[in-house]
Amino acid sequence: MLHAVIMAGGAGTRFWPASRKALPKQLLQLVGERTMLQATADRLERLVPADRCMVVTSSQLAEAVQGQLPALPAARIIGEPCKRDTAPAIALAAALIGLDDPAAVMLVLPSDHVIAPVEAFQAAIRAAVALVETHPESLVTFGIRPTYPAEVFGYIERDESRPVEAALPAWQVRRFREKPAAATATEFLKAGGFYWNAGIFVWRATTILDALDRFEPGILQPIRELVKLRGRPGFDQAFADCYEKMKGKSIDYAVLERHADVRVIEAPFQWDDLGSWQSLARLRGEDGDGNTVDARHLGIRTSRCIVRGPDDHLIVTLGTSDLIVVHTPDTTLVANRHDEAAIKEIVAELESRGWATWL
């Protein structure tokens, strides 16, 4: 049976000050009527029932996740005691799912992507499941055909000589590429055989566990011992101890770049990794002056600005351009639109000063 694992432990610091430790990006309503997490769960309806969905998040966010997804059984929300990247999280989810369903197929997906239409997404997942059922040793990922030379995404290079028979265009993966410099990203775009790495995966639980056992036994073996304690006294302390000693690692480095049989399906859906305030302009559009506004805003001689705030607070910009302006109940950000990567520096500075109230 198909099980879904939603990864919802990210901090979303590039969306500060709207995104905070207690309410990070995936729990915010940034596009549409639902939060990013809720929209991800909605996308799974009629594909995976709630009792076969799992959310892996941080222990600090577990209650908020439950509040946003009341139909999800509380036992299906896994709150990690500390961040250890995606490999431990996926190992834990696969081990827990495997206890209940040894023949399980897993869909792993982030909680903060914008995907449409839902029908195309679900058709792609079904194609991946069929591929895994036919080739159980395969790890299947999804590639997004790039539309511009993005430097902020990792890339997947397909093996043009090894197409895969599937319901949708698919190939063996030649290799994964790190986030490139601008010139390299331009070369990837011109070459035509590269995809953005969507970070969405389908595989058998046993296959990913076997791969972790082979490549990262230091991650898997403590997880295997931990899940034996599920439902028993002392589990929470064992969980904390396990993660305290464990090294963090992404599933890409831990397994995907080392596994012999990784296949990529060209995604038939529209996709955006909502990574920063700049991405709102792509998704919400711009007015005639190039402004993207999600606020009560009066702009006079204002151009190419991104403005966000509540409806009960008026933001006025006069004679400005190329700014990001974000107002929250306790913080206002004014930043150069072309230096938004430096927003992470703000978070680091707040941490160094001990100003936890604004984190």
Side-chain angles (χ1 to χ4, degrees):
M1 291 186 291
L2 180 62
H3 297 250
V5 178
I6 300 174
M7 310 295 285
T13 53
R14 288 176 184 258
F15 276 94
W16 188 89
S19 179
R20 305 289 184 90
K21 286 185 176 181
L23 197 70
K25 173 179 66 170
Q26 61 269 26
L27 302 182
L28 295 177
Q29 180 185 328
L30 294 171
V31 179
E33 300 297 319
R34 304 274 276 170
T35 68
M36 304 296 293
L37 174 64
Q38 289 171 329
T40 302
D42 293 347
R43 211 172 290 131
L44 298 174
E45 290 182 4
R46 298 183 299 279
L47 186 67
V48 187
D51 63 357
R52 294 207 305 270
C53 290
M54 178 183 292
V55 176
V56 181
T57 185
S58 71
S59 57
Q60 296 91 340
L61 297 178
E63 185 176 349
V65 168
Q66 180 70 75
Q68 290 205 1
L69 301 177
L72 190 68
R76 306 294 291 178
I77 300 172
I78 310 300
E80 295 179 296
C82 56
K83 291 181 66 175
R84 287 295 181 264
D85 217 322
T86 53
I90 288 171
L92 178 59
L96 289 171
I97 289 169
L99 286 179
D100 299 325
D101 182 5
V105 175
M106 290 174 60
L107 161 64
V108 180
L109 67 167
S111 58
D112 56 357
H113 290 176
V114 178
I115 292 175
V118 171
E119 295 77 13
F121 168 78
Q122 293 188 350
I125 300 305
R126 292 188 181 99
V129 170
L131 187 56
V132 167
E133 288 176 341
T134 305
H135 302 279
E137 297 306 311
S138 296
L139 305 177
V140 178
T141 186
F142 290 88
I144 310 299
R145 184 170 287 281
T147 55
Y148 64 96
E151 302 170 58
V152 296
F153 302 142
Y155 284 72
I156 300 170
E157 182 180 2
R158 73 190 190 196
D159 190 335
E160 300 279 7
S161 66
R162 300 174 69 193
V164 171
E165 186 175 343
L168 294 168
W171 288 263
Q172 290 283 345
V173 171
R174 173 169 287 166
R175 55 183 161 173
F176 290 85
R177 300 293 194 103
E178 298 301 314
K179 296 175 182 178
T184 303
T186 299
E187 291 175 6
F188 289 172
L189 189 65
K190 290 179 179 178
F194 291 82
Y195 297 110
W196 291 333
N197 187 350
I200 302 172
F201 312 110
V202 175
W203 47 51
R204 287 175 62 92
T206 53
T207 301
I208 194 65
L209 289 171
D210 288 346
L212 284 161
D213 194 27
R214 184 164 65 255
F215 299 124
E216 296 290 342
I219 291 175
L220 185 63
Q221 294 310 315
I223 292 292
R224 285 197 189 278
E225 294 302 314
L226 176 65
V227 298
K228 292 177 183 178
L229 300 175
R230 181 180 62 166
R232 298 182 184 180
F235 175 82
D236 290 343
Q237 185 59 52
F239 197 178
D241 293 343
C242 175
Y243 265 59
E244 180 67 27
K245 298 172 184 175
M246 188 178 294
K247 281 188 175 181
K249 203 166 194 177
S250 77
I251 197 66
D252 299 70
Y253 292 143
V255 173
L256 291 170
E257 294 186 1
R258 302 153 84 178
H259 191 71
D261 186 0
V262 182
R263 307 179 185 215
V264 58
I265 292 177
E266 183 175 314
F269 46 81
Q270 298 170 1
W271 173 92
D272 202 298
D273 176 5
L274 202 64
S276 63
W277 288 117
Q278 193 88 298
S279 57
L280 285 189
R282 296 195 300 270
L283 295 168
R284 287 185 172 271
E286 300 174 341
D287 64 18
D289 294 312
N291 299 307
T292 299
V293 178
D294 180 20
R296 187 170 297 278
H297 173 240
L298 172 60
I300 300 173
R301 295 191 296 282
T302 294
S303 61
R304 302 183 303 280
C305 288
I306 297 171
V307 184
R308 177 181 166 93
D311 287 339
D312 61 356
H313 182 94
L314 177 64
I315 298 174
V316 179
T317 53
L318 171 63
T320 59
S321 61
D322 298 297
L323 293 179
I324 299 170
V325 181
V326 181
H327 179 81
T328 73
D330 64 351
T331 309
T332 301
L333 168 71
V334 181
N336 184 325
R337 175 171 177 164
H338 302 295
D339 193 28
E340 65 169 348
I343 291 176
K344 284 192 170 184
E345 295 178 19
I346 298 173
V347 175
E349 182 66 22
L350 292 173
E351 289 177 338
S352 71
R353 296 187 182 204
W355 290 4
T357 299
W358 294 281
L359 292 169

